[in-house]
Amino acid sequence: MEETLMPTLSSIQTLVFDPRCVAHHGGDTVQAGLDLSEGMSHAALVNVPSTQTALDLVEPGDAENSYLVHKLEGRAGIVRDRMPPIGDPLTAEEIEAIRDWINAGALSE
């Protein structure tokens, strides 16, 4: 049975970060100092200033001003490429779950 993506860190970790992001942002390969591996992603994202802009990577309660969302959506003004740089962009459903998680306070569970 396939898991349904929910706007929680544990669901996003399992269904988005682990399969799509950890290859470049986890373990021995921590690009841009960002470790999205399980147990590390919350501390690496929430209230952490971006190294590329004045925004935080994740601003709890404010997905619109979270640089992670800008990078995932490929917005104008991002530094370098839309994430993920390899493979297809995240789906609208995946991005919406991340936005909803952020808007709900970006809790660690």
Side-chain angles (χ1 to χ4, degrees):
M1 184 165 129
E2 190 171 314
E3 274 189 72
T4 300
L5 181 60
M6 303 297 292
T8 64
L9 181 58
S10 60
S11 181
I12 292 165
Q13 184 71 54
T14 299
L15 299 175
V16 180
F17 291 165
D18 288 348
R20 301 291 308 274
C21 307
V22 170
H24 292 100
H25 294 289
D28 295 332
T29 311
V30 180
Q31 299 287 330
L34 181 58
D35 188 348
L36 294 180
S37 56
E38 189 169 353
M40 302 299 290
S41 59
H42 189 268
L45 289 170
V46 178
N47 292 314
V48 174
S50 165
T51 59
Q52 299 177 344
T53 71
L55 297 174
D56 282 348
L57 295 173
V58 169
E59 183 66 38
D62 191 359
E64 196 57 33
N65 287 302
S66 295
Y67 193 57
L68 175 65
V69 172
H70 292 219
K71 289 290 279 190
L72 295 174
E73 292 179 345
R75 290 189 185 182
I78 62 171
V79 176
R80 291 191 281 286
D81 297 325
R82 178 181 187 169
M83 292 291 115
I86 298 171
D88 293 330
L90 296 187
T91 66
E93 176 190 23
E94 291 168 326
I95 293 171
E96 191 62 29
I98 292 168
R99 290 178 63 85
D100 289 349
W101 166 68
I102 293 169
N103 284 332
L107 301 177
S108 61
E109 63 251 0

